Amino acid sequence: MREFIKREARQTVTIREVPERVVKELDAIWERLGFEDTQIKERLEQAEAYMNDLFHRFISEEKNLEDEFVQSINEYEMNIASLNLELGHPVYTYRGSHLLIVKEKILKEEHQRLKHQKDQRMIELMNLKQEESDLCAKMGQTSAYVSSEKIPSSTDLNLIKENIARLKLLRDQRWSEFNQLKDQIKTSHKILHERVDDPFLKNMVIEEPDSFAALNSDNLDELREQNKRWTDEKKRRE
């Protein structure tokens, strides 16, 4: 590499940091082209301007990347706080590394964990509400007041579970009473040598009614009345 090039390269701050092999390659090209010293000096200044522009653009891009991480971290922190509030959890306190890449990764995992927990609770809520709704429809009962528009708390889910347990107990009691009344009425008719002609009794005693009919409180009231009437009739004929 020519001495002039070495001297100019040392005096140009940005070029000074460039590996010697790069400057040497440029010198060879300029020598073949026949550039004069003033032209070479201009080319070095132009190269320095290119490099400064490149570094400035690279710094700007890296700063944008840093800003993206900061924004992502802020969003995760807000979403985590919101999910913890909805789920009834205590306030989340970050205790990890201060490095942005590490912090963003940890917060992302925490957000995903809470989001999964929210989804699971909503699925459990929908399943419980469906089961509760079916039982209420069959027995004319009311459901527990728990909103479907927000994440249920553990207390909310337990409230529905308790109501389902109550409804199942009531269902079993009604089924048991229904079968007892049906058997008693059939026995009374048999003893009295009577046919079951009443349309209501034919549907409830002779045929197999669906669970909506068998568990209906009004139908059970009517069966009790019918059973009493036929029991009294049986006693009267004895």
Side-chain angles (χ1 to χ4, degrees):
M1 185 166 58
R2 292 172 294 175
E3 286 300 321
F4 171 74
I5 296 294
K6 290 181 179 179
R7 185 175 65 253
E8 288 297 324
R10 284 196 298 269
Q11 292 175 357
T12 308
V13 176
T14 307
I15 301 299
R16 192 167 57 213
E17 306 299 326
V18 175
E20 185 177 337
R21 61 178 177 76
V22 175
V23 180
K24 190 175 182 179
E25 188 174 347
L26 285 172
D27 179 36
I29 295 171
W30 292 335
E31 186 176 11
R32 290 193 298 272
L33 287 169
F35 282 162
E36 297 178 356
D37 291 353
T38 54
Q39 291 176 307
I40 291 174
K41 188 173 182 179
E42 289 174 357
R43 307 300 283 187
L44 287 169
E45 291 173 352
Q46 187 177 18
E48 182 178 33
Y50 284 158
M51 293 177 66
N52 282 330
D53 179 65
L54 176 63
F55 281 128
H56 287 147
R57 281 191 286 120
F58 189 68
I59 289 171
S60 177
E61 290 171 3
E62 295 302 282
K63 184 65 172 67
N64 288 338
L65 180 61
E66 180 186 20
D67 292 342
E68 289 176 6
F69 270 98
V70 171
Q71 181 179 351
S72 178
I73 287 171
N74 290 336
E75 289 176 357
Y76 279 131
E77 287 177 335
M78 287 189 294
N79 290 334
I80 287 171
S82 177
L83 285 169
N84 277 323
L85 182 63
E86 290 182 278
L87 290 165
H89 292 340
V91 176
Y92 173 78
T93 302
Y94 176 78
R95 292 187 173 87
S97 170
H98 68 283
L99 300 176
L100 297 181
I101 292 178
V102 177
K103 184 174 183 179
E104 197 256 2
K105 180 177 182 293
I106 293 174
L107 291 176
K108 180 180 180 181
E109 291 172 351
E110 176 65 12
H111 177 259
Q112 289 175 336
R113 185 185 71 81
L114 293 172
K115 183 67 168 57
H116 177 72
Q117 192 175 122
K118 171 185 176 180
D119 293 342
Q120 291 302 114
R121 278 207 193 175
M122 292 305 293
I123 291 171
E124 184 179 7
L125 174 66
M126 292 301 105
N127 290 338
L128 288 172
K129 274 192 163 292
Q130 183 61 54
E131 184 178 7
E132 181 188 43
S133 177
D134 292 344
L135 289 167
C136 287
K138 288 178 180 179
M139 293 178 291
Q141 297 288 300
T142 57
S143 60
Y145 181 72
V146 175
S147 174
S148 301
E149 304 301 319
K150 65 180 185 68
I151 303 175
S153 65
S154 298
T155 302
D156 291 332
L157 295 176
N158 287 335
L159 188 63
I160 302 175
K161 290 175 182 177
E162 289 171 1
N163 197 39
I164 288 174
R166 179 187 68 83
L167 292 169
K168 285 182 175 179
L169 178 61
L170 181 60
R171 177 198 61 190
D172 294 343
Q173 290 171 343
R174 287 188 181 182
W175 266 120
S176 177
E177 183 180 10
F178 168 76
N179 287 319
Q180 288 176 3
L181 290 170
K182 181 176 71 171
D183 291 342
Q184 289 170 5
I185 291 171
K186 289 173 71 174
T187 299
S188 294
H189 277 75
K190 185 177 181 179
I191 291 173
L192 296 171
H193 303 288
E194 295 280 353
R195 291 177 55 189
V196 179
D197 294 323
D198 183 275
F200 172 78
L201 287 181
K202 286 179 71 173
N203 180 55
M204 298 296 289
V205 176
I206 304 304
E207 299 174 6
E208 290 295 329
D210 60 31
S211 58
F212 280 91
L215 298 174
N216 182 275
S217 60
D218 291 337
N219 288 342
L220 284 174
D221 287 342
E222 178 65 20
L223 277 178
R224 292 187 195 102
E225 289 295 324
Q226 291 278 5
N227 183 52
K228 183 178 184 304
R229 184 169 73 84
W230 285 103
T231 299
D232 291 345
E233 179 64 19
K234 184 175 63 173
K235 288 179 180 179
R236 189 183 67 78
R237 295 190 190 184
E238 288 176 351

